[in-house]
């Protein structure tokens, strides 16, 4: 069976991990976990983009070797993955030989085929963006936009990759493959870009200007343009050129932010692949940006929120829940700490956390910690189970369409309904009654609360794997059954001994 292969963008080594990086990892991890639970053989790749001018400059400024800077960054970014409970199967660094070898072999192939040629280039160059610019890149006042920093006029010989001849089939591919880009509205943006003739891509940088890169195999005086190098990670990591490659390729989803769709992922990458005789990616899953007060989080505007702080304070599941609940995949979202706290306190601590406390407290107080068997089923129970069936079905459907925010909304609506059920049944009152019928109802109520809780945490497992694990353990529930059958109501919990009172989402410990 071919794997379900999914990747994130590889992060620039030249910066610290921030919320944007964390979100992309979590989103990809949620899709990966969801597909794994649905029975796919998932292969999940993430990594680090280590070459290029900015890394070279930062290393120089600190008086260290570029590779030292990259080693530090790799530790930080891998630490981010671990803290977020990200289940990647591999981590690729573009300074690894397995990557460099593949970049060089693809370059050589394209060169031998005549797809790469040498020419003189005269024009404008942005060091900050590491790209050549054209008049059309100027703003309406005829100035270079801020993002390009200082723009220099230069003349130099370079190697170019023939892009222009590929325009027609790419346009056709975008028009006929509706699932190539998710969400679909982004396809328009690519087609808009492709309305103008595209220029061939300069894929080299002379060594005297940039040393920190992969030398071209056919001219050692040059290194490879960082985007050409970086994109290849998706195939180098899974052993392009070796036997197992086709067990994974073509990739099912490249998960990327909207800033790197056009042109790198939607134009350069498909063309590079086609020219090299490699199948195209099945889909690009393009997410929006996390904004703070309308601005993109970035190092230069100083509005970076360190995701690790939030993870340390509230736990990885809370962070994962927040970003997945708030962001409609594909759209932008505003980040605020207040909003984070509201979600934490109301959805997690109150609705979910209190439900668990109630269940454990009631069972330990009156029933020696043993989950009773249900003894009756009345309308309240029937209604709750009906709601469960509907919630399960709708949520799984929403997850498959990347609508995690609404999927979670439904799951948490169900959790709210378990609490309302408990309030209507009022087991704390039933526990005081000597009437036989009340005892039966008490047993039923406590069973139903425990079982509904088990089902609910199972449903949010792709987003909150740790919570699911903790609650299963506290309910004495163990199962090797497939996910979908774990989401079906049973009476297996009856007779289990539950754990002691546990606060799932405690108030954060702060120094003040
Ligand atoms: N190195 C390139 C990608 C090469 S992929 C072959 C790069 N790196 S990055 O570190 O700048 O960004 C990594 C990912 O994080 C990108 O997909 C980018 O869109 C995403 N994000 C960076 N800032 C973001 C937000 N503020 N919000 C959400 N994601 C954003 O680009």
């Amino acid at each position: 069976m071919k794997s379900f292969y999914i990747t994130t963008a590889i992060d620039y080594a030249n910066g610290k991990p921030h919320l944007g990086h964390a979100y992309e990892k979590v989103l990809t991890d949620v899709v990966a976990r969801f597909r794994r639970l649905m029975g796919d053989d998932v292969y999940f790749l993430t990594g680090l983009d280590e070459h290029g001018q900015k890394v070279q400059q930062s290393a120089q400024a600190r008086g260290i070797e570029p590779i030292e800077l990259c080693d530090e960054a790799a530790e930080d970014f891998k630490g981010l993955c671990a803290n977020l409970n990200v289940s990647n199967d591999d981590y690729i660094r573009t300074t690894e030989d397995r990557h460099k070898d593949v970049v060089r072999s693809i370059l050589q192939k394209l060169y031998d085929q005549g797809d790469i040629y040498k020419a003189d280039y005269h024009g404008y160059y942005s060091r900050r963006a590491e790209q050549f610019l054209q008049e059309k890149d100027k703003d309406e006042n005829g100035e270079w936009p801020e993002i390009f920093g200082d723009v220099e006029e230069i003349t130099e010989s370079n190697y170019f990759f023939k892009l222009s001849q590929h325009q027609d089939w790419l346009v056709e591919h975008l028009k006929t493959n509706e699932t190539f880009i998710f969400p679909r509205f982004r396809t328009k943006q690519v087609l808009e870009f492709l309305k103008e003739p595209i220029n061939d891509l300069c894929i080299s940088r002379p060594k005297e200007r940039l040393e920190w890169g992969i030398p071209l195999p056919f001219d050692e005086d040059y290194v490879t343009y960082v985007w050409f190098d970086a994109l290849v990670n998706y195939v180098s990591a899974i052993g392009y050129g070796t036997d197992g490659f086709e067990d994974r390729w073509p990739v099912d989803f490249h998960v990327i932010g909207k800033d790197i769709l056009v042109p790198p992922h939607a134009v350069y990458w498909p063309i590079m692949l086609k020219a090299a005789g490699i199948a195209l990616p099945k889909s690009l899953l393009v997410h929006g940006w996390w904004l703070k007060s309308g601005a993109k989080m970035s190092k230069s505007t100083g509005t970076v929120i360190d995701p690790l702080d939030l993870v340390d304070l509230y736990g990885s599941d809370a962070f994962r829940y927040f970003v997945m609940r708030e962001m409609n995949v594909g759209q932008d979202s505003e980040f605020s700490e207040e909003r984070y706290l509201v979600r934490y306190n109301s959805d997690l601590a109150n609705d979910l956390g209190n439900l668990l406390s109630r269940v454990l407290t009631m069972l330990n107080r009156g029933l020696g910690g043993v989950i009773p068997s249900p003894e009756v089923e009345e309308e309240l129970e029937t209604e709750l189970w009906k709601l469960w069936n509907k919630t399960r079905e709708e949520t799984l459907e929403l997850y498959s369409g990347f609508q995690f925010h609404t999927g979670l909304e439904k799951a948490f609506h169900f959790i709210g309904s378990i609490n309302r059920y408990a309030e209507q049944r009022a087991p704390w009152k039933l526990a005081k009654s000597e009437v036989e019928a009340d005892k039966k109802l008490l047993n039923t109520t406590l069973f139903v609360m425990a079982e509904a809780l088990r089902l609910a945490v199972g449903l949010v497992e792709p987003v909150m794997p740790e919570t699911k694990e903790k609650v299963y353990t506290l309910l004495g529930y163990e199962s090797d059954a497939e996910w979908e059958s774990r989401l079906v109501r049973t009476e297996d919990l009856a007779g289990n001994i539950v754990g002691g009172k546990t606060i799932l989402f405690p108030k954060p410990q702060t120094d003040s």
Side-chain angles (χ1 to χ4, degrees):
M1 178 171 79
K2 187 196 159 295
S3 300
F4 176 87
Y5 178 35
I6 188 164
T7 66
T8 67
I10 51 172
D11 305 316
Y12 283 131
N14 183 51
K16 292 278 172 207
H18 59 64
L19 177 60
H21 300 127
Y23 170 68
E24 186 172 293
K25 305 270 181 286
V26 170
L27 169 63
T28 314
D29 187 57
V30 169
V31 178
R33 285 181 188 268
F34 172 64
R35 298 301 292 245
R36 232 179 256 129
L37 288 166
M38 295 298 278
D40 283 324
D41 169 30
V42 172
Y43 196 77
F44 171 9
L45 174 72
T46 185
L48 200 61
D49 188 354
E50 304 189 11
H51 291 125
Q53 199 133 30
K54 281 176 237 156
V55 172
Q56 180 172 303
Q57 280 167 349
S58 301
Q60 250 161 15
R62 287 181 49 196
I64 57 173
E65 290 299 317
I67 191 66
E68 289 178 57
L69 187 136
C70 294
D71 287 345
E72 279 176 21
E75 211 163 292
D76 284 352
F77 279 92
K78 281 183 181 174
L80 175 75
C81 290
N83 272 340
L84 293 170
N85 208 355
V86 166
S87 62
N88 54 303
D89 295 286
D90 194 2
Y91 193 93
I92 179 98
R93 297 182 53 180
T94 55
T95 46
E96 289 174 72
D97 285 342
R98 60 171 174 156
H99 173 73
K100 293 193 274 193
D101 291 348
V102 172
V103 172
R104 287 163 66 90
S105 82
I106 290 178
L107 281 166
Q108 187 68 53
K109 181 176 162 89
L110 297 178
Y111 185 73
D112 293 345
Q113 284 172 190
D115 284 322
I116 290 175
Y117 62 92
K118 193 172 188 186
D120 268 347
Y121 174 84
H122 175 83
Y124 303 105
Y125 183 76
S126 154
R127 245 175 224 278
R128 184 183 292 171
E130 290 179 37
Q131 80 186 59
F132 292 98
L133 304 175
Q134 292 162 15
E135 286 295 331
K136 70 174 166 68
D137 295 315
K138 288 185 173 167
D139 62 19
E140 56 277 12
N141 306 320
E143 308 280 335
W144 298 111
E146 187 62 35
I147 48 158
F148 296 125
D150 288 335
V151 174
E152 300 159 41
E153 223 179 321
I154 56 170
T155 303
E156 66 186 28
S157 280
N158 265 310
Y159 287 89
F160 291 83
F161 170 45
K162 292 182 185 168
L163 284 188
S164 39
Q165 66 198 36
H166 291 276
Q167 196 148 348
D168 291 346
W169 72 255
L170 183 57
V171 168
E172 195 53 30
H173 183 77
L174 287 159
K175 285 187 175 159
T176 51
N177 285 275
E178 295 192 345
T179 53
F180 186 60
I181 300 177
F182 179 93
R184 270 186 63 197
F185 73 85
R186 295 228 175 263
T187 308
K188 261 207 218 121
Q189 208 180 314
V190 189
L191 289 171
E192 200 58 37
F193 178 86
L194 291 170
K195 267 192 186 150
E196 304 281 322
I198 44 174
N199 293 318
D200 290 344
L201 177 67
C202 180
I203 50 109
S204 64
R205 298 291 181 265
K207 264 208 183 137
E208 67 246 24
R209 197 145 63 71
L210 176 67
E211 269 176 48
W212 187 237
I214 303 174
L216 295 182
F218 41 82
D219 190 338
E220 298 278 325
D221 291 337
Y222 291 84
V223 298
T224 312
Y225 170 47
V226 70
W227 267 107
F228 193 102
D229 162 349
L231 287 161
V232 170
N233 90 86
Y234 302 132
V235 295
S236 65
I238 56 164
Y240 170 67
T242 64
D243 274 352
F245 179 67
E246 263 140 35
D247 296 344
R248 306 220 161 105
W249 195 264
V251 68
D252 291 83
F253 287 98
H254 286 313
V255 180
I256 54 169
K258 65 178 185 179
D259 53 321
I260 56 170
L261 175 66
V262 188
H265 283 85
V267 180
Y268 301 160
W269 183 227
I271 295 177
M272 284 163 66
L273 290 166
K274 178 85 154 188
I278 307 172
L280 300 189
K282 288 194 204 162
S283 288
L284 309 175
L285 174 53
V286 188
H287 61 78
W289 276 338
W290 280 96
L291 309 170
K292 203 187 174 198
S293 314
K296 188 188 167 211
M297 299 259 204
S298 78
K299 226 171 47 163
S300 50
T301 59
T303 52
V304 179
I305 286 160
D306 190 342
L308 298 180
D309 285 352
L310 294 171
V311 179
D312 289 345
L313 277 172
Y314 303 98
S316 62
D317 272 10
F319 180 90
R320 295 166 62 99
Y321 173 71
F322 176 78
V323 292
M324 297 311 289
R325 177 69 186 82
E326 288 288 309
M327 181 81 107
N328 177 347
V329 178
Q331 309 290 326
D332 292 347
S333 216
E334 190 79 17
F335 180 86
S336 89
E337 244 172 296
E338 295 83 73
R339 188 112 194 101
Y340 194 95
L341 286 181
V342 168
R343 286 262 174 238
Y344 184 85
N345 288 325
S346 77
D347 301 4
L348 300 181
N350 277 344
D351 293 353
L352 180 54
N354 280 350
L355 172 62
L356 175 75
S357 303
R358 270 178 172 173
V359 170
L360 298 178
T361 309
M362 292 292 307
L363 286 169
N364 282 313
R365 208 176 276 161
L367 293 157
V370 182
I371 302 178
S373 294
E375 297 192 44
V376 286
E377 181 167 328
E378 296 180 356
E379 200 184 332
L380 283 180
E381 284 74 29
T382 311
E383 285 303 311
L384 189 68
W385 296 137
K386 257 211 237 155
L387 179 67
W388 166 251
N389 287 338
K390 187 164 169 278
T391 304
R392 181 191 54 216
E393 207 172 295
E394 288 176 351
T395 303
L396 293 183
E397 183 67 32
L398 288 163
Y399 285 176
S400 350
F402 309 115
Q403 302 300 298
F404 297 106
H405 64 303
T406 38
L408 289 172
E409 187 184 357
K410 302 241 180 243
F412 273 76
H413 172 75
F414 177 70
I415 291 170
S417 302
I418 312 175
N419 281 313
R420 276 187 295 282
Y421 165 80
E423 272 139 35
Q424 282 168 300
R425 280 289 183 224
W428 39 90
K429 285 190 195 151
L430 295 171
K432 293 185 189 138
S433 166
E434 293 298 324
V435 180
E436 200 49 36
D438 285 348
K439 283 193 181 146
K440 285 190 175 170
L441 214 47
L442 175 66
N443 286 346
T444 302
T445 306
L446 293 180
F447 171 84
V448 168
M449 286 169 68
E451 174 63 356
L453 173 62
R454 178 189 75 83
L455 294 168
V457 295
L459 191 57
V460 297
E461 178 176 348
V463 181
M464 307 178 73
E466 211 176 85
T467 301
K468 170 243 144 192
E469 207 52 50
K470 281 188 193 161
V471 173
Y472 271 22
T473 307
L474 288 164
L475 295 176
Y477 180 70
E478 260 179 69
S479 171
D480 303 331
E482 280 176 14
W483 190 42
E484 283 182 280
S485 52
R486 281 195 275 118
L487 299 182
V488 173
R489 175 160 74 101
T490 68
E491 292 190 8
D492 294 351
L493 284 189
N496 282 10
I497 298 179
V498 299
K501 187 170 177 177
T502 305
I503 312 269
L504 265 190
F505 298 100
K507 291 261 172 298
Q509 301 290 317
T510 49
D511 298 335
S512 53

